[in-house]
């Protein structure tokens, strides 16, 4: 493990949920010393919208500008989310780089970890009950299973 | 999160696998500063043996001293594992407390986290292929799902 002596890249994957904000703050507070000297990426995905309800409401003819509007709005939401996260990092004296991409969070997060050669992925997760868990395959579960680097799952307990 | 400003208790759950040794070493190297000022527990479980093969081979009458021997041997293995882990921590200038209990690792690890009020659980995991993963519900998966505190899953890639 000579080549891993010092952690180099940490990625925190966030979305609009309170869980991911909690995860970011937990990492900043509790792993501060270990993160401060490394490169920190804050990553968020703009999910591909399901336009079928639009098609239905417009009788099969969704105006292209409407779709464009939605996409632009999603981008704005993502950028504002990343700005807030960056501000939070600054409060802890840590400068973060931000990244956003469009697609399926499950796949994109795993791909980004590989591409950026991230050494630690941090994600939030809700502590759902057993029943919900059985039906909802969460993004964090998928990443723990598929990402090769260490994954820190931070749960927000009620 | 005022009460969590500084992480207080970290637990690394280990077994005899190379994965858990890797996880411990990864944490010591990469989260050194964040672990050094906290209480570190190294925890290992002595699994309850399946004595059915003994019963079968002894025609239903397993000598009690044979079972005792096996249990004592498991205890020795666990204690030696914890000693090695402690030595590794010492190498990184960190003093660890060690704990071992007898039972099902899945349940005991989750219970120990609650009992000790651990703020970060670290575990190793093998990066198995999709097929094996589907059949083997691993201890780390169970803990990520059921433990309330943040869980760091460290995978050893081939």
């Amino acid at each position: 493990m000579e080549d891993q002596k010092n952690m180099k890249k940490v990625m925190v994957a966030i979305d609009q949920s309170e869980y991911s904000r909690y995860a970011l703050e937990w990492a900043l507070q509790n792993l501060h010393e270990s993160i401060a000297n490394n490169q920190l990426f804050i990553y968020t995905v703009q999910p591909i919208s399901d336009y079928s309800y639009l098609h239905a409401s417009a009788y099969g003819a969704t105006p292209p500008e409407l779709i464009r509007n939605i996409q632009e709005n999603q981008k704005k939401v993502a950028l504002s989310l990343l700005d807030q996260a960056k501000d939070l990092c600054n409060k802890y004296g840590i400068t973060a780089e931000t990244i956003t991409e469009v697609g399926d969070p499950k796949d994109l997060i795993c791909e980004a970890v590989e591409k950026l050669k991230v050494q630690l992925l941090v994600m939030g997760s809700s502590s759902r009950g057993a029943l919900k868990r059985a039906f909802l395959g969460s993004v964090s579960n998928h990443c723990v299973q598929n990402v090769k680097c260490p994954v820190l799952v931070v749960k927000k307990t009620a």
Side-chain angles (χ1 to χ4, degrees), chain A:
Chain A
M1 285 173 50
E2 272 305 305
D3 55 337
Q4 285 201 343
K5 261 234 161 88
N6 294 304
M7 192 159 63
K8 304 253 164 46
K9 288 176 182 179
V10 180
M11 185 170 113
V12 183
I14 62 170
D15 59 20
Q16 289 175 266
S17 72
E18 53 177 324
Y19 310 114
S20 66
R21 176 159 175 116
Y22 182 86
L24 174 61
E25 192 146 19
W26 192 93
L28 290 170
Q29 285 185 342
N30 293 293
L31 305 179
H32 186 271
E33 302 92 333
S34 301
I35 287 177
N37 297 321
N38 294 286
Q39 209 173 351
L40 177 63
F41 297 102
I42 311 286
Y43 183 90
T44 197
V45 172
Q46 302 159 49
I48 294 171
S49 291
D50 175 8
Y51 298 117
S52 52
Y53 73 97
L54 284 178
H55 284 287
S57 65
Y59 301 101
T62 315
E65 67 268 30
L66 184 54
I67 292 181
R68 238 185 346 261
N69 277 351
I70 294 172
Q71 287 168 339
E72 273 166 22
N73 194 48
Q74 277 194 333
K75 192 171 182 178
K76 266 185 213 156
V77 169
L79 292 177
S80 130
L81 202 63
L82 291 174
D83 273 346
Q84 285 169 38
K86 225 172 164 168
D87 287 348
L88 190 60
C89 294
N90 286 339
K91 262 178 58 183
Y92 286 86
I94 293 173
T95 310
E97 292 168 57
T98 56
I99 305 168
T100 175
E101 292 180 296
V102 181
D104 182 339
K106 282 214 266 287
D107 301 329
L108 284 183
I109 293 171
C110 295
E111 284 168 29
V113 164
E114 291 272 316
K115 235 171 16 197
L116 296 167
K117 301 194 197 312
V118 165
Q119 273 111 330
L120 174 65
L121 170 65
V122 181
M123 302 186 74
S125 176
S126 64
S127 46
R128 287 193 287 256
L131 189 68
K132 274 195 179 170
R133 225 160 41 217
F135 289 99
L136 299 169
S138 77
V139 176
S140 61
N141 282 351
H142 179 88
C143 292
V144 169
Q145 299 277 1
N146 290 285
V147 153
K148 280 187 191 129
C149 79
V151 183
L152 172 62
V153 179
V154 181
K155 279 187 208 172
K156 189 178 188 309
T157 48

